[in-house]
Amino acid sequence: MSMDVAPRLETDALLDDPQTRIVVCCGSGGVGKTTTAAALGVRAAERGRKAVVLTIDPARRLAQSMGIDALDNVPRRVEGVGDEAGGELHAMMLDMKRTFDEFVEAHADPERARAILANPFYQSLSAGFAGTQEYMAMEKLGQLRARDEWDLIIVDTPPSRSALDFLDAPKRLGSFLDGKFIRVLMAPAKVGGRAGMKFLNVGVSMMTGTVSKVLGGQLMRDVQTFAAAMDTMFGGFRTRAEATYRLLQAPGTAFLVVAAPERDALREAAYFVERLAADQMPLAGLVLNRVHGSGAEQLSAERALAAAETLSLKGSAVADPPGEGSVPANPGEGAENLGPDGFVDPDSGNAQARNASAADNSSAADPDVSPTSAERLAVGLLRLHAERMQVLGREQRTHDRFTALHPEVPVAQVAALPGDVHDLAGLRAIGDRLAAAPADQPAESDQSNPSKRTAG
């Protein structure tokens, strides 16, 4: 067991606090952020909050369970959630391009907006430029908060390669769109005087000529047209990125770092915790997802393997009785399918006639399970338990390393479910495990497959 015990993250207290207006679920990809965000939304609504969940890339079955498989950029009510407690759950799936289009339409006159939306460079930028998804997730968060229709907004951050991309990408994209490279493309039209115009045109021509060779002339013209059309909007991107940062730093915001009990995921979580502290953003705690358990933790892996070895050796001794060709005195204690009047068919492996007295002697036991087959089953189960206990030990050591680095960070451990989450019942089960103390959580019901994890 760990010497360092982290404080427990009280998720229900966080969701019940009316001062909590935004919960951001962040972390590296594949750790269950989307499932966690959806489960928190369901639990908040069923505790009386009017919540909206902004999902980024939900698994298809999870999306269908929330009724958002065909949704666009508009929040929709999830039926059957929160009615008894007076709460509501709304859900939406981020449409990155549509959010960018809405930004353009809101900050440009109709004619200029049409020119921007039709520009090939803008279409490429809005559909998949590096950092666009992260920027637009924060843009959509700002829009939802400004509408003030919900008292709790839960955000599932984009599945970036690195969790830190979520904080870095909006600034990078804002700096690009509001940067010197874009501005210099428009400079000739803004410089007064022939001398200045002539001098600048020479420099710009040299620069654009070089860039055109790299990017291609048509792309360069598209960029210049885009820059000219976006002229009145420059400054807006950086300003809104800064406004979103202030919103994330506000007291009503709570960050939940989601991780799996694996070395790389928890290392990424540690980096993110440090970054949040450096940026003065409010961290509520760590959600340690997909933690495995056992109903027999008092039996260590070493003891289980030793018992399996003992049984295995005993079974070998029984299967190979002393004396070549000899038959045990009591046929019921001999090797399976062997007796004075019985044998094993060498072609099919099926047992032939058995000694009648052997059948009588085994009448108290299951006639279909011989002593050696039962021992083989026991050996397999002991070895499987040892493997599970080794997984638990590895997860605990990984968790301990994180806690040693950040002992002040509250932790909620979520026991792994035996299968994927694909309906509201599964989301409620995750919510229950989020709120329960580790000792109160059920062990994973399917002990036979340690690789089974909840959906992310």
Side-chain angles (χ1 to χ4, degrees), residues 14 25 38 48 111 126 133 138 157 159 169 234 270 303 312 335 382 384 435:
L14 179 69
C25 297
E111 183 177 352
S126 61
Q133 189 176 48
M138 292 300 93
T157 56
F234 284 123
R303 289 174 58 197
S312 181
L382 284 166
L384 185 62

Side-chain angles (χ1 to χ4, degrees), residues 17 71 110 129 137 156 230 243 278 292 304 328 344 347 353 399 404 425 447:
D17 186 354
L71 285 192
F129 196 81
D156 163 33
M230 293 282 284
H292 291 96
V344 175
D347 295 326
H399 181 198
Q447 299 291 331

Side-chain angles (χ1 to χ4, degrees), residues 195-214:
M197 176 70 78
K198 182 177 181 180
F199 174 79
L200 189 56
N201 275 340
V202 170
V204 171
S205 296
M206 292 175 61
M207 186 274 291
T208 55
T210 302
V211 176
S212 293
K213 291 179 182 178
V214 177

Side-chain angles (χ1 to χ4, degrees), residues 161-436:
R161 179 187 59 81
S162 166
L164 298 179
D165 289 346
F166 165 62
L167 292 178
D168 291 332
K171 279 189 174 180
R172 287 202 305 268
L173 181 62
S175 297
F176 168 75
L177 294 174
D178 193 25
K180 293 179 181 179
F181 174 72
I182 294 290
R183 288 185 173 279
V184 78
L185 298 178
M186 302 183 301
K190 294 190 170 188
V191 177
R194 294 182 180 180
M197 176 70 78
K198 182 177 181 180
F199 174 79
L200 189 56
N201 275 340
V202 170
V204 171
S205 296
M206 292 175 61
M207 186 274 291
T208 55
T210 302
V211 176
S212 293
K213 291 179 182 178
V214 177
L215 301 181
Q218 183 58 51
L219 176 57
M220 192 64 201
R221 287 189 292 273
D222 290 340
V223 173
Q224 288 177 312
T225 304
F226 167 78
M230 293 282 284
D231 183 19
T232 58
M233 296 176 59
F234 284 123
F237 291 97
R238 180 172 296 175
T239 299
R240 292 179 75 83
E242 292 173 353
T244 300
Y245 257 62
R246 290 193 297 272
L247 180 63
L248 294 177
Q249 291 173 327
T253 299
F255 279 84
L256 290 177
V257 178
V258 183
E262 299 164 359
R263 185 179 61 182
D264 291 344
L266 275 172
R267 182 187 296 120
E268 192 80 13
Y271 292 153
F272 205 94
V273 166
E274 293 162 8
R275 174 62 183 277
L276 290 173
D279 288 4
Q280 298 181 326
M281 293 188 177
L283 172 65
L286 170 74
V287 173
L288 194 59
N289 217 357
R290 306 165 179 168
V291 177
H292 291 96
S294 171
E297 293 190 19
Q298 68 276 11
L299 178 61
S300 68
E302 293 76 12
R303 289 174 58 197
L305 287 174
E309 184 68 16
T310 300
L311 278 176
S312 181
L313 290 174
K314 179 183 176 183
S316 297
V318 173
D320 300 317
E324 182 177 357
S326 64
V327 177
N330 184 353
E333 296 177 357
E336 184 179 15
N337 295 338
L338 290 181
D341 299 320
F343 61 93
V344 175
D345 190 306
D347 295 326
S348 66
N350 293 326
Q352 301 299 315
R354 290 182 177 272
N355 184 284
S357 62
D360 293 338
N361 291 336
S362 62
S363 60
D366 185 344
D368 296 327
V369 181
S370 68
T372 50
S373 63
E375 288 166 358
R376 285 198 300 270
L377 177 62
V379 168
L381 290 174
L382 284 166
R383 288 175 175 165
L384 185 62
H385 175 76
E387 179 184 345
R388 171 53 60 93
M389 293 305 295
Q390 289 168 348
V391 169
L392 266 62
R394 185 166 60 249
E395 291 180 351
Q396 186 62 55
R397 290 190 297 273
T398 305
H399 181 198
D400 288 347
R401 283 194 290 269
F402 176 89
T403 301
L405 286 172
H406 300 285
E408 77 289 352
V409 176
V411 178
Q413 295 191 36
V414 182
L417 290 176
D420 291 342
V421 175
H422 53 80
D423 55 20
L424 290 174
L427 292 177
R428 291 186 177 102
I430 292 291
D432 290 341
R433 294 176 182 221
L434 271 166

Side-chain angles (χ1 to χ4, degrees), residues 2-27:
S2 168
M3 296 297 293
D4 299 307
V5 179
R8 192 163 74 87
L9 172 61
E10 303 286 351
T11 53
D12 280 352
L14 179 69
L15 297 176
D16 292 345
D17 186 354
Q19 300 301 315
T20 303
R21 301 298 303 274
I22 297 173
V23 173
V24 182
C25 297
C26 53

Side-chain angles (χ1 to χ4, degrees), residues 131-151:
T132 304
Q133 189 176 48
E134 287 84 356
Y135 185 100
M136 290 305 148
M138 292 300 93
E139 171 66 23
K140 180 54 66 176
L141 169 60
Q143 291 178 9
L144 293 173
R145 186 67 183 88
R147 289 169 60 176
D148 203 27
E149 295 182 19
W150 301 274
D151 58 26

